Amino acid sequence: MTNGPKPTDFIEAPKLSQKLGWSITFISELRQYTHSFKFRAAWNLVQKVAANHFIAASSGNFGQALAKACQINGRKCTVIMPTTSSKVKIAAVKEYGAEVVFVDTAKQSRAMKVSEWSDRHPEAYIASAYDCQWVIEGNSSLGFEIAHSGLPFDAIIAPVGGGGLSAGLIQGLCHASSSIPVWGAEPLMANDGVKSLRDGTLHRHASEPQTLADGARTASLGNLNFRILRNGVAGMIEVPEESIVWGLQSIANEGLRVEPTGALSVGALRHWHAPEGAHIGCVLSGGNVDKALYDKLLTLPVME
């Protein structure tokens, strides 16, 4: 039985470093409980909220993490999952003891389905995967670890969906009195965060963008996250779908297996500039991916 999240792994990427002329270190959450950073958030949430039943919407990683945290702590968990969710993520949520309720996001939003389920279970706590102080606080533990790693990072790049990870990194680094800048990597197909930070007002997708990075198929940044990112993020990098695949393949070339969302930070390197020799930390946020999809992405031709 766990007593909380596992420490992150700092893994050098020599092949990628040589190719790009930077010193690249993977900040890997792949060995985290449930194989993604989301366990940090879910664990903290379940410790802080005195509820016996949690309901959340998730493409999979937060759902798995919440299910696992609830299982360990003897709580009930219901996860609203899009019908397009990865099979391996659906199976894992069920394996950790949660009830899975599907939603066709082409016909009904996740939020509407959550509201419907909340009406049926008024005693339950509705958990946000990112727009929540306890979630952000849980994720901040990763920023704290980075600050105390002893590694001389010039910048950190992290995947962005709802903004819970990047907001948590900013808070954790700040609490550790670290000034390492945090950059967000967002799919070009789902660039509401880029638009929101550019315009100073929250943009929202009318329907879920079907980017390969399923963990970033959020309608918008969270309100809390937007406020933190607006004041704290160094910048946002838009990552085309081909570059997500390039990132995944580059990480595989270093011997690690990530899901497309987890490859956003590395894919962003193709569209970002830093001085030669800069030490860049790329957060690999998760590794939960269907084998068939992963094998297909590994063989796709990508321009160098």
Side-chain angles (χ1 to χ4, degrees):
M1 185 173 291
T2 179
N3 291 315
K6 293 180 180 180
T8 200
D9 293 317
F10 296 95
I11 303 170
E12 293 182 1
K15 296 174 185 177
L16 192 58
S17 297
Q18 184 175 16
K19 179 189 289 188
L20 299 179
W22 299 322
S23 175
I24 308 295
T25 297
F26 295 149
I27 300 167
S28 172
E29 287 288 278
L30 305 181
R31 292 196 312 113
Q32 188 58 262
Y33 293 106
T34 70
H35 310 294
S36 88
F37 79 96
K38 294 284 190 178
F39 188 77
R40 295 176 182 273
W43 179 260
N44 192 60
L45 175 67
V46 173
Q47 303 310 303
K48 295 295 177 70
V49 176
N52 290 319
H53 184 188
F54 290 79
I55 296 174
S58 169
S59 295
N61 279 346
F62 184 71
Q64 289 178 70
L66 185 62
K68 177 69 172 177
C70 284
Q71 183 184 62
I72 292 168
N73 289 279
R75 318 282 183 89
K76 182 180 178 181
C77 180
T78 301
V79 183
I80 311 296
M81 300 188 73
T83 53
T84 55
S85 296
S86 158
K87 291 179 182 178
V88 71
K89 293 181 180 181
I90 295 168
V93 171
K94 292 179 178 178
E95 182 183 338
Y96 296 134
E99 178 185 9
V100 173
V101 176
F102 291 107
V103 57
D104 183 349
T105 56
K107 299 177 180 178
Q108 184 182 25
S109 71
R110 299 187 198 198
M112 289 174 64
K113 195 70 172 181
V114 168
S115 179
E116 175 187 310
W117 226 247
S118 176
D119 289 343
R120 297 186 190 185
H121 300 278
E123 83 290 352
Y125 180 85
I126 307 305
S128 169
Y130 48 89
D131 197 11
C132 165
Q133 61 173 325
W134 306 127
V135 162
I136 296 170
E137 181 182 84
N139 292 334
S140 73
S141 63
L142 180 56
F144 196 80
E145 286 183 41
I146 292 169
H148 290 279
S149 68
L151 296 172
F153 289 117
D154 295 305
I156 304 296
I157 305 177
V160 173
L165 172 58
S166 47
L169 286 172
I170 290 166
Q171 285 203 341
L173 289 166
C174 181
H175 291 161
S177 300
S178 170
S179 58
I180 303 171
V182 174
W183 289 75
E186 187 176 50
L188 179 61
M189 277 184 65
N191 62 351
D192 57 279
V194 170
K195 293 176 181 176
S196 297
L197 292 170
R198 180 193 65 204
D199 298 342
T201 184
L202 205 56
H203 281 253
R204 180 175 294 273
H205 295 287
S207 60
E208 284 194 11
Q210 293 304 300
T211 170
L212 276 171
D214 62 334
R217 292 175 185 169
T218 48
S220 72
L221 295 173
N223 289 299
L224 289 175
N225 315 97
F226 178 49
R227 289 199 289 271
I228 294 169
L229 294 178
R230 186 170 54 187
N231 296 317
V233 77
M236 295 280 282
I237 307 156
E238 295 172 293
V239 186
E241 297 297 287
E242 183 185 60
S243 293
I244 297 175
V245 178
W246 180 88
L248 182 143
Q249 292 178 358
S250 298
I251 295 163
N253 198 36
E254 302 284 3
L256 298 174
R257 172 188 171 119
V258 297
E259 60 189 87
T261 309
L264 276 168
S265 59
V266 173
L269 295 173
R270 298 179 93 191
H271 309 277
W272 188 69
H273 302 285
E276 186 174 351
H279 192 176
I280 313 302
C282 291
V283 179
L284 309 186
S285 57
N288 298 303
V289 58
D290 288 331
K291 183 179 185 304
L293 173 61
Y294 184 75
D295 290 346
K296 176 184 176 182
L297 295 177
L298 279 185
T299 60
L300 285 179
V302 199
M303 290 183 63
E304 285 295 332

